[in-house]
PDB file of all heavy atoms in Angstrom:
ATOM      1  N   ALA Q 418      81.121  71.648 100.582  1.00 97.00           N
ATOM      2  CA  ALA Q 418      82.474  71.716 101.142  1.00 97.00           C
ATOM      3  C   ALA Q 418      83.515  71.346 100.094  1.00 97.00           C
ATOM      4  O   ALA Q 418      84.603  71.926 100.046  1.00 97.00           O
ATOM      5  CB  ALA Q 418      82.586  70.796 102.354  1.00 97.00           C
ATOM      6  N   ARG Q 421      83.789  74.449  97.822  1.00 96.00           N
ATOM      7  CA  ARG Q 421      84.441  75.602  98.442  1.00 96.00           C
ATOM      8  C   ARG Q 421      85.915  75.337  98.778  1.00 96.00           C
ATOM      9  O   ARG Q 421      86.669  76.279  99.020  1.00 96.00           O
ATOM     10  CB  ARG Q 421      83.680  76.019  99.703  1.00 96.00           C
ATOM     11  CG  ARG Q 421      82.351  76.671  99.348  1.00 96.00           C
ATOM     12  CD  ARG Q 421      81.482  76.881 100.562  1.00 96.00           C
ATOM     13  NE  ARG Q 421      80.095  77.103 100.178  1.00 96.00           N
ATOM     14  CZ  ARG Q 421      79.598  78.308  99.855  1.00 96.00           C
ATOM     15  NH1 ARG Q 421      80.358  79.359  99.881  1.00 96.00           N
ATOM     16  NH2 ARG Q 421      78.330  78.424  99.503  1.00 96.00           N
ATOM     17  N   SER Q 422      86.288  74.062  98.824  1.00 95.00           N
ATOM     18  CA  SER Q 422      87.718  73.799  99.046  1.00 95.00           C
ATOM     19  C   SER Q 422      88.421  73.586  97.706  1.00 95.00           C
ATOM     20  O   SER Q 422      89.497  73.001  97.638  1.00 95.00           O
ATOM     21  CB  SER Q 422      87.899  72.586  99.955  1.00 95.00           C
ATOM     22  OG  SER Q 422      87.282  71.464  99.363  1.00 95.00           O
ATOM     23  N   ASN Q 423      87.784  74.014  96.637  1.00 95.00           N
ATOM     24  CA  ASN Q 423      88.345  73.932  95.282  1.00 95.00           C
ATOM     25  C   ASN Q 423      88.695  72.507  94.860  1.00 95.00           C
ATOM     26  O   ASN Q 423      89.656  72.299  94.132  1.00 95.00           O
ATOM     27  CB  ASN Q 423      89.593  74.817  95.151  1.00 95.00           C
ATOM     28  CG  ASN Q 423      89.229  76.271  95.324  1.00 95.00           C
ATOM     29  OD1 ASN Q 423      88.158  76.702  94.871  1.00 95.00           O
ATOM     30  ND2 ASN Q 423      90.082  77.008  96.028  1.00 95.00           N
ATOM     31  N   SER Q 425      90.171  70.176  96.257  1.00 95.00           N
ATOM     32  CA  SER Q 425      91.608  69.927  96.405  1.00 95.00           C
ATOM     33  C   SER Q 425      91.941  69.142  97.672  1.00 95.00           C
ATOM     34  O   SER Q 425      93.107  69.008  98.030  1.00 95.00           O
ATOM     35  CB  SER Q 425      92.339  71.270  96.454  1.00 95.00           C
ATOM     36  OG  SER Q 425      91.952  71.941  97.642  1.00 95.00           O
ATOM     37  N   ILE Q 426      90.932  68.626  98.385  1.00 95.00           N
ATOM     38  CA  ILE Q 426      91.269  67.910  99.623  1.00 95.00           C
ATOM     39  C   ILE Q 426      90.751  66.470  99.590  1.00 95.00           C
ATOM     40  O   ILE Q 426      89.791  66.148  98.899  1.00 95.00           O
ATOM     41  CB  ILE Q 426      90.721  68.642 100.880  1.00 95.00           C
ATOM     42  CG1 ILE Q 426      89.195  68.772 100.825  1.00 95.00           C
ATOM     43  CG2 ILE Q 426      91.366  70.015 101.017  1.00 95.00           C
ATOM     44  CD1 ILE Q 426      88.605  69.446 102.065  1.00 95.00           C
ATOM     45  N   LEU Q 430      90.408  64.904 105.261  1.00 93.00           N
ATOM     46  CA  LEU Q 430      90.403  66.342 105.526  1.00 93.00           C
ATOM     47  C   LEU Q 430      88.998  66.916 105.313  1.00 93.00           C
ATOM     48  O   LEU Q 430      88.516  67.761 106.084  1.00 93.00           O
ATOM     49  CB  LEU Q 430      91.424  67.021 104.607  1.00 93.00           C
ATOM     50  CG  LEU Q 430      91.900  68.411 105.012  1.00 93.00           C
ATOM     51  CD1 LEU Q 430      92.376  68.451 106.452  1.00 93.00           C
ATOM     52  CD2 LEU Q 430      93.026  68.866 104.074  1.00 93.00           C
ATOM     53  N   LEU Q 431      88.336  66.429 104.286  1.00 96.00           N
ATOM     54  CA  LEU Q 431      86.979  66.879 103.996  1.00 96.00           C
ATOM     55  C   LEU Q 431      86.064  66.652 105.208  1.00 96.00           C
ATOM     56  O   LEU Q 431      85.297  67.540 105.612  1.00 96.00           O
ATOM     57  CB  LEU Q 431      86.444  66.131 102.773  1.00 96.00           C
ATOM     58  CG  LEU Q 431      84.970  66.366 102.417  1.00 96.00           C
ATOM     59  CD1 LEU Q 431      84.719  67.829 102.048  1.00 96.00           C
ATOM     60  CD2 LEU Q 431      84.541  65.468 101.255  1.00 96.00           C
ATOM     61  N   ILE Q 432      86.171  65.474 105.783  1.00 93.00           N
ATOM     62  CA  ILE Q 432      85.325  65.165 106.945  1.00 93.00           C
ATOM     63  C   ILE Q 432      85.678  66.100 108.102  1.00 93.00           C
ATOM     64  O   ILE Q 432      84.801  66.623 108.788  1.00 93.00           O
ATOM     65  CB  ILE Q 432      85.497  63.690 107.364  1.00 93.00           C
ATOM     66  CG1 ILE Q 432      84.998  62.776 106.241  1.00 93.00           C
ATOM     67  CG2 ILE Q 432      84.748  63.405 108.664  1.00 93.00           C
ATOM     68  CD1 ILE Q 432      85.290  61.310 106.442  1.00 93.00           C
ATOM     69  N   ASN Q 433      86.964  66.351 108.281  1.00 92.00           N
ATOM     70  CA  ASN Q 433      87.377  67.233 109.367  1.00 92.00           C
ATOM     71  C   ASN Q 433      86.918  68.673 109.153  1.00 92.00           C
ATOM     72  O   ASN Q 433      86.594  69.371 110.111  1.00 92.00           O
ATOM     73  CB  ASN Q 433      88.885  67.147 109.575  1.00 92.00           C
ATOM     74  CG  ASN Q 433      89.258  65.889 110.340  1.00 92.00           C
ATOM     75  OD1 ASN Q 433      88.651  65.586 111.366  1.00 92.00           O
ATOM     76  ND2 ASN Q 433      90.198  65.122 109.827  1.00 92.00           N
ATOM     77  N   VAL Q 434      86.879  69.092 107.907  1.00 96.00           N
ATOM     78  CA  VAL Q 434      86.344  70.427 107.607  1.00 96.00           C
ATOM     79  C   VAL Q 434      84.857  70.464 107.964  1.00 96.00           C
ATOM     80  O   VAL Q 434      84.375  71.360 108.651  1.00 96.00           O
ATOM     81  CB  VAL Q 434      86.566  70.782 106.113  1.00 96.00           C
ATOM     82  CG1 VAL Q 434      85.751  72.018 105.734  1.00 96.00           C
ATOM     83  CG2 VAL Q 434      88.038  71.010 105.845  1.00 96.00           C
ATOM     84  N   LEU Q 435      84.134  69.458 107.505  1.00 96.00           N
ATOM     85  CA  LEU Q 435      82.691  69.402 107.787  1.00 96.00           C
ATOM     86  C   LEU Q 435      82.425  69.399 109.295  1.00 96.00           C
ATOM     87  O   LEU Q 435      81.460  69.979 109.774  1.00 96.00           O
ATOM     88  CB  LEU Q 435      82.080  68.147 107.148  1.00 96.00           C
ATOM     89  CG  LEU Q 435      81.855  68.232 105.635  1.00 96.00           C
ATOM     90  CD1 LEU Q 435      81.677  66.854 105.034  1.00 96.00           C
ATOM     91  CD2 LEU Q 435      80.635  69.108 105.333  1.00 96.00           C
ATOM     92  N   ARG Q 436      83.305  68.748 110.025  1.00 92.00           N
ATOM     93  CA  ARG Q 436      83.090  68.619 111.463  1.00 92.00           C
ATOM     94  C   ARG Q 436      83.707  69.790 112.247  1.00 92.00           C
ATOM     95  O   ARG Q 436      83.679  69.810 113.470  1.00 92.00           O
ATOM     96  CB  ARG Q 436      83.663  67.294 111.973  1.00 92.00           C
ATOM     97  CG  ARG Q 436      82.997  66.073 111.299  1.00 92.00           C
ATOM     98  CD  ARG Q 436      83.305  64.791 112.001  1.00 92.00           C
ATOM     99  NE  ARG Q 436      82.724  64.806 113.334  1.00 92.00           N
ATOM    100  CZ  ARG Q 436      83.405  64.707 114.454  1.00 92.00           C
ATOM    101  NH1 ARG Q 436      84.717  64.566 114.417  1.00 92.00           N
ATOM    102  NH2 ARG Q 436      82.798  64.727 115.611  1.00 92.00           N
ATOM    103  N   GLY Q 437      84.300  70.725 111.528  1.00 92.00           N
ATOM    104  CA  GLY Q 437      84.860  71.904 112.180  1.00 92.00           C
ATOM    105  C   GLY Q 437      86.020  71.580 113.105  1.00 92.00           C
ATOM    106  O   GLY Q 437      86.168  72.154 114.185  1.00 92.00           O
ATOM    107  N   SER Q 438      86.852  70.671 112.673  1.00 87.00           N
ATOM    108  CA  SER Q 438      87.967  70.239 113.532  1.00 87.00           C
ATOM    109  C   SER Q 438      89.048  71.320 113.636  1.00 87.00           C
ATOM    110  O   SER Q 438      89.202  72.165 112.739  1.00 87.00           O
ATOM    111  CB  SER Q 438      88.560  68.942 112.963  1.00 87.00           C
ATOM    112  OG  SER Q 438      89.949  68.959 113.012  1.00 87.00           O
ATOM    113  N   GLY Q 439      89.790  71.262 114.737  1.00 84.00           N
ATOM    114  CA  GLY Q 439      90.845  72.261 114.931  1.00 84.00           C
ATOM    115  C   GLY Q 439      92.199  71.814 114.406  1.00 84.00           C
ATOM    116  O   GLY Q 439      93.235  72.347 114.807  1.00 84.00           O
ATOM    117  N   MET Q 440      92.217  70.862 113.508  1.00 81.00           N
ATOM    118  CA  MET Q 440      93.487  70.345 112.960  1.00 81.00           C
ATOM    119  C   MET Q 440      94.388  71.448 112.411  1.00 81.00           C
ATOM    120  O   MET Q 440      93.901  72.382 111.785  1.00 81.00           O
ATOM    121  CB  MET Q 440      93.196  69.425 111.774  1.00 81.00           C
ATOM    122  CG  MET Q 440      92.943  67.990 112.086  1.00 81.00           C
ATOM    123  SD  MET Q 440      92.255  67.252 110.600  1.00 81.00           S
ATOM    124  CE  MET Q 440      93.764  66.752 109.799  1.00 81.00           C
ATOM    125  N   ARG Q 441      95.679  71.245 112.600  1.00 86.00           N
ATOM    126  CA  ARG Q 441      96.601  72.270 112.140  1.00 86.00           C
ATOM    127  C   ARG Q 441      96.505  72.469 110.621  1.00 86.00           C
ATOM    128  O   ARG Q 441      96.498  73.584 110.121  1.00 86.00           O
ATOM    129  CB  ARG Q 441      98.034  71.903 112.530  1.00 86.00           C
ATOM    130  CG  ARG Q 441      98.881  73.142 112.458  1.00 86.00           C
ATOM    131  CD  ARG Q 441     100.328  73.025 112.869  1.00 86.00           C
ATOM    132  NE  ARG Q 441     100.610  72.171 114.000  1.00 86.00           N
ATOM    133  CZ  ARG Q 441     101.599  71.272 113.969  1.00 86.00           C
ATOM    134  NH1 ARG Q 441     102.340  71.106 112.902  1.00 86.00           N
ATOM    135  NH2 ARG Q 441     101.857  70.546 115.029  1.00 86.00           N
ATOM    136  N   GLU Q 442      96.375  71.370 109.897  1.00 88.00           N
ATOM    137  CA  GLU Q 442      96.354  71.457 108.432  1.00 88.00           C
ATOM    138  C   GLU Q 442      95.192  72.335 107.937  1.00 88.00           C
ATOM    139  O   GLU Q 442      95.307  73.040 106.934  1.00 88.00           O
ATOM    140  CB  GLU Q 442      96.239  70.056 107.826  1.00 88.00           C
ATOM    141  CG  GLU Q 442      96.538  70.068 106.347  1.00 88.00           C
ATOM    142  CD  GLU Q 442      96.478  68.678 105.707  1.00 88.00           C
ATOM    143  OE1 GLU Q 442      96.298  67.687 106.438  1.00 88.00           O
ATOM    144  OE2 GLU Q 442      96.606  68.622 104.470  1.00 88.00           O
ATOM    145  N   ILE Q 443      94.081  72.292 108.665  1.00 92.00           N
ATOM    146  CA  ILE Q 443      92.924  73.096 108.258  1.00 92.00           C
ATOM    147  C   ILE Q 443      93.248  74.581 108.330  1.00 92.00           C
ATOM    148  O   ILE Q 443      92.970  75.341 107.402  1.00 92.00           O
ATOM    149  CB  ILE Q 443      91.709  72.744 109.148  1.00 92.00           C
ATOM    150  CG1 ILE Q 443      91.240  71.338 108.791  1.00 92.00           C
ATOM    151  CG2 ILE Q 443      90.599  73.774 108.997  1.00 92.00           C
ATOM    152  CD1 ILE Q 443      89.992  70.879 109.461  1.00 92.00           C
ATOM    153  N   TYR Q 444      93.912  74.963 109.425  1.00 92.00           N
ATOM    154  CA  TYR Q 444      94.266  76.373 109.571  1.00 92.00           C
ATOM    155  C   TYR Q 444      95.359  76.758 108.599  1.00 92.00           C
ATOM    156  O   TYR Q 444      95.324  77.815 107.970  1.00 92.00           O
ATOM    157  CB  TYR Q 444      94.631  76.677 111.025  1.00 92.00           C
ATOM    158  CG  TYR Q 444      93.380  76.656 111.878  1.00 92.00           C
ATOM    159  CD1 TYR Q 444      92.900  75.481 112.427  1.00 92.00           C
ATOM    160  CD2 TYR Q 444      92.635  77.829 112.047  1.00 92.00           C
ATOM    161  CE1 TYR Q 444      91.713  75.445 113.156  1.00 92.00           C
ATOM    162  CE2 TYR Q 444      91.455  77.816 112.770  1.00 92.00           C
ATOM    163  CZ  TYR Q 444      90.997  76.613 113.325  1.00 92.00           C
ATOM    164  OH  TYR Q 444      89.831  76.616 114.014  1.00 92.00           O
ATOM    165  N   ALA Q 445      96.322  75.856 108.420  1.00 93.00           N
ATOM    166  CA  ALA Q 445      97.426  76.139 107.504  1.00 93.00           C
ATOM    167  C   ALA Q 445      96.904  76.374 106.092  1.00 93.00           C
ATOM    168  O   ALA Q 445      97.461  77.176 105.337  1.00 93.00           O
ATOM    169  CB  ALA Q 445      98.420  74.988 107.520  1.00 93.00           C
ATOM    170  N   ARG Q 446      95.830  75.671 105.734  1.00 93.00           N
ATOM    171  CA  ARG Q 446      95.321  75.804 104.359  1.00 93.00           C
ATOM    172  C   ARG Q 446      94.105  76.737 104.297  1.00 93.00           C
ATOM    173  O   ARG Q 446      93.391  76.759 103.294  1.00 93.00           O
ATOM    174  CB  ARG Q 446      94.965  74.423 103.807  1.00 93.00           C
ATOM    175  CG  ARG Q 446      96.218  73.572 103.621  1.00 93.00           C
ATOM    176  CD  ARG Q 446      95.913  72.170 103.199  1.00 93.00           C
ATOM    177  NE  ARG Q 446      95.319  72.087 101.860  1.00 93.00           N
ATOM    178  CZ  ARG Q 446      95.179  70.955 101.189  1.00 93.00           C
ATOM    179  NH1 ARG Q 446      95.585  69.819 101.729  1.00 93.00           N
ATOM    180  NH2 ARG Q 446      94.626  70.957  99.995  1.00 93.00           N
ATOM    181  N   ASP Q 447      93.856  77.422 105.392  1.00 94.00           N
ATOM    182  CA  ASP Q 447      92.771  78.410 105.432  1.00 94.00           C
ATOM    183  C   ASP Q 447      91.384  77.811 105.237  1.00 94.00           C
ATOM    184  O   ASP Q 447      90.442  78.490 104.842  1.00 94.00           O
ATOM    185  CB  ASP Q 447      92.986  79.466 104.336  1.00 94.00           C
ATOM    186  CG  ASP Q 447      93.333  80.812 104.983  1.00 94.00           C
ATOM    187  OD1 ASP Q 447      93.442  80.831 106.235  1.00 94.00           O
ATOM    188  OD2 ASP Q 447      93.490  81.800 104.264  1.00 94.00           O
ATOM    189  N   LEU Q 448      91.270  76.526 105.517  1.00 95.00           N
ATOM    190  CA  LEU Q 448      89.980  75.872 105.270  1.00 95.00           C
ATOM    191  C   LEU Q 448      88.928  76.238 106.322  1.00 95.00           C
ATOM    192  O   LEU Q 448      87.738  76.014 106.121  1.00 95.00           O
ATOM    193  CB  LEU Q 448      90.174  74.336 105.216  1.00 95.00           C
ATOM    194  CG  LEU Q 448      90.987  73.838 104.022  1.00 95.00           C
ATOM    195  CD1 LEU Q 448      91.438  72.396 104.216  1.00 95.00           C
ATOM    196  CD2 LEU Q 448      90.175  73.973 102.734  1.00 95.00           C
ATOM    197  N   HIS Q 449      89.399  76.805 107.444  1.00 94.00           N
ATOM    198  CA  HIS Q 449      88.431  77.183 108.483  1.00 94.00           C
ATOM    199  C   HIS Q 449      87.612  78.406 108.096  1.00 94.00           C
ATOM    200  O   HIS Q 449      86.641  78.747 108.748  1.00 94.00           O
ATOM    201  CB  HIS Q 449      89.165  77.435 109.810  1.00 94.00           C
ATOM    202  CG  HIS Q 449      90.129  78.582 109.726  1.00 94.00           C
ATOM    203  ND1 HIS Q 449      91.262  78.535 108.947  1.00 94.00           N
ATOM    204  CD2 HIS Q 449      90.109  79.792 110.301  1.00 94.00           C
ATOM    205  CE1 HIS Q 449      91.918  79.677 109.062  1.00 94.00           C
ATOM    206  NE2 HIS Q 449      91.219  80.464 109.891  1.00 94.00           N
ATOM    207  N   THR Q 450      88.002  79.035 106.990  1.00 95.00           N
ATOM    208  CA  THR Q 450      87.273  80.250 106.597  1.00 95.00           C
ATOM    209  C   THR Q 450      86.140  79.956 105.618  1.00 95.00           C
ATOM    210  O   THR Q 450      85.339  80.837 105.315  1.00 95.00           O
ATOM    211  CB  THR Q 450      88.235  81.258 105.934  1.00 95.00           C
ATOM    212  OG1 THR Q 450      88.809  80.619 104.784  1.00 95.00           O
ATOM    213  CG2 THR Q 450      89.344  81.683 106.878  1.00 95.00           C
ATOM    214  N   ILE Q 451      86.078  78.728 105.096  1.00 94.00           N
ATOM    215  CA  ILE Q 451      85.018  78.484 104.108  1.00 94.00           C
ATOM    216  C   ILE Q 451      83.670  78.334 104.813  1.00 94.00           C
ATOM    217  O   ILE Q 451      83.599  77.957 105.976  1.00 94.00           O
ATOM    218  CB  ILE Q 451      85.308  77.252 103.204  1.00 94.00           C
ATOM    219  CG1 ILE Q 451      85.292  75.956 104.005  1.00 94.00           C
ATOM    220  CG2 ILE Q 451      86.609  77.416 102.468  1.00 94.00           C
ATOM    221  CD1 ILE Q 451      85.436  74.741 103.128  1.00 94.00           C
ATOM    222  N   LYS Q 452      82.617  78.583 104.068  1.00 93.00           N
ATOM    223  CA  LYS Q 452      81.291  78.705 104.663  1.00 93.00           C
ATOM    224  C   LYS Q 452      80.799  77.408 105.300  1.00 93.00           C
ATOM    225  O   LYS Q 452      80.067  77.433 106.288  1.00 93.00           O
ATOM    226  CB  LYS Q 452      80.305  79.169 103.578  1.00 93.00           C
ATOM    227  CG  LYS Q 452      79.072  79.823 104.164  1.00 93.00           C
ATOM    228  CD  LYS Q 452      78.184  80.381 103.065  1.00 93.00           C
ATOM    229  CE  LYS Q 452      76.727  80.354 103.503  1.00 93.00           C
ATOM    230  NZ  LYS Q 452      75.828  80.262 102.357  1.00 93.00           N
ATOM    231  N   THR Q 453      81.176  76.264 104.732  1.00 93.00           N
ATOM    232  CA  THR Q 453      80.675  74.990 105.250  1.00 93.00           C
ATOM    233  C   THR Q 453      81.543  74.433 106.379  1.00 93.00           C
ATOM    234  O   THR Q 453      81.305  73.334 106.840  1.00 93.00           O
ATOM    235  CB  THR Q 453      80.576  73.941 104.124  1.00 93.00           C
ATOM    236  OG1 THR Q 453      81.500  74.293 103.105  1.00 93.00           O
ATOM    237  CG2 THR Q 453      79.180  73.888 103.561  1.00 93.00           C
ATOM    238  N   PHE Q 454      82.550  75.198 106.816  1.00 95.00           N
ATOM    239  CA  PHE Q 454      83.389  74.712 107.922  1.00 95.00           C
ATOM    240  C   PHE Q 454      82.501  74.468 109.151  1.00 95.00           C
ATOM    241  O   PHE Q 454      81.801  75.377 109.600  1.00 95.00           O
ATOM    242  CB  PHE Q 454      84.483  75.748 108.240  1.00 95.00           C
ATOM    243  CG  PHE Q 454      85.389  75.326 109.375  1.00 95.00           C
ATOM    244  CD1 PHE Q 454      86.341  74.323 109.197  1.00 95.00           C
ATOM    245  CD2 PHE Q 454      85.278  75.918 110.629  1.00 95.00           C
ATOM    246  CE1 PHE Q 454      87.169  73.934 110.242  1.00 95.00           C
ATOM    247  CE2 PHE Q 454      86.100  75.529 111.669  1.00 95.00           C
ATOM    248  CZ  PHE Q 454      87.047  74.541 111.476  1.00 95.00           C
ATOM    249  N   GLY Q 455      82.493  73.246 109.649  1.00 95.00           N
ATOM    250  CA  GLY Q 455      81.689  72.940 110.836  1.00 95.00           C
ATOM    251  C   GLY Q 455      80.215  72.707 110.565  1.00 95.00           C
ATOM    252  O   GLY Q 455      79.447  72.458 111.487  1.00 95.00           O
ATOM    253  N   ALA Q 456      79.807  72.695 109.287  1.00 95.00           N
ATOM    254  CA  ALA Q 456      78.378  72.530 108.972  1.00 95.00           C
ATOM    255  C   ALA Q 456      77.868  71.124 109.315  1.00 95.00           C
ATOM    256  O   ALA Q 456      76.665  70.908 109.419  1.00 95.00           O
ATOM    257  CB  ALA Q 456      78.127  72.826 107.500  1.00 95.00           C
ATOM    258  N   GLY Q 457      78.803  70.191 109.509  1.00 94.00           N
ATOM    259  CA  GLY Q 457      78.372  68.820 109.815  1.00 94.00           C
ATOM    260  C   GLY Q 457      78.872  68.371 111.170  1.00 94.00           C
ATOM    261  O   GLY Q 457      79.165  67.197 111.390  1.00 94.00           O
ATOM    262  N   ARG Q 458      78.968  69.332 112.093  1.00 92.00           N
ATOM    263  CA  ARG Q 458      79.505  69.078 113.418  1.00 92.00           C
ATOM    264  C   ARG Q 458      78.711  68.020 114.195  1.00 92.00           C
ATOM    265  O   ARG Q 458      79.235  67.299 115.025  1.00 92.00           O
ATOM    266  CB  ARG Q 458      79.475  70.399 114.187  1.00 92.00           C
ATOM    267  CG  ARG Q 458      80.401  70.463 115.350  1.00 92.00           C
ATOM    268  CD  ARG Q 458      80.483  71.879 115.869  1.00 92.00           C
ATOM    269  NE  ARG Q 458      81.727  72.518 115.471  1.00 92.00           N
ATOM    270  CZ  ARG Q 458      81.824  73.721 114.936  1.00 92.00           C
ATOM    271  NH1 ARG Q 458      80.747  74.430 114.704  1.00 92.00           N
ATOM    272  NH2 ARG Q 458      83.003  74.230 114.642  1.00 92.00           N
TER     273      ARG Q 458
END
Side-chain angles (χ1 to χ4, degrees):
R421 288 170 198 274
S422 59
N423 296 323
S425 66
I426 60 178
L430 199 51
L431 173 63
I432 296 172
N433 282 312
V434 168
L435 283 162
R436 300 193 65 241
S438 138
M440 273 167 89
R441 198 177 322 133
E442 193 178 355
I443 290 186
Y444 288 87
R446 293 175 66 168
D447 249 3
L448 293 165
H449 63 293
T450 59
I451 66 174
K452 202 175 150 207
T453 25
F454 180 73
R458 201 169 256 132

